[in-house]
Amino acid sequence: DQMRRINDAFLREAQERPARVRYLSIWKLLSTSSGAFDPQWRGGDGVHLNTAGGQRVARFVMRAVKADWLPPL
């Protein structure tokens, strides 16, 4: 499907720049156990994330940023 092709393209581009780019896949974070996008994270327009979905992704990204940029305690 189109989103998988787009995600694959971003992943390939990130892999070509490993010292400067880290690709974070949010697919599993927002999908059901069967691999479909979970509608509980989708906004009213059916395209964008709702507030809960945005917060879920933000927490995921911030964990990665902290792991990459903050020194261990």
Side-chain angles (χ1 to χ4, degrees), residues 30-64:
L30 301 174
S31 63
T32 64
S33 59
S34 65
F37 187 83
D38 192 332
Q40 75 172 317
W41 308 118
R42 197 171 293 215
D45 64 2
V47 176
H48 298 92
L49 297 176
N50 59 21
T51 300
Q55 289 173 340
R56 185 173 175 88
V57 170
R59 283 190 299 272
F60 178 74
V61 170
M62 286 309 299
R63 279 193 302 272

Side-chain angles (χ1 to χ4, degrees), residues 11-39:
L11 176 59
R12 281 191 307 276
E13 290 295 320
Q15 289 171 332
E16 291 179 11
R17 299 158 179 83
R20 296 181 296 144
V21 177
R22 180 172 175 197
Y23 176 83
L24 298 174
S25 175
I26 60 170
W27 189 260
K28 289 181 182 178
L29 192 67
L30 301 174
S31 63
T32 64
S33 59
S34 65
F37 187 83
D38 192 332

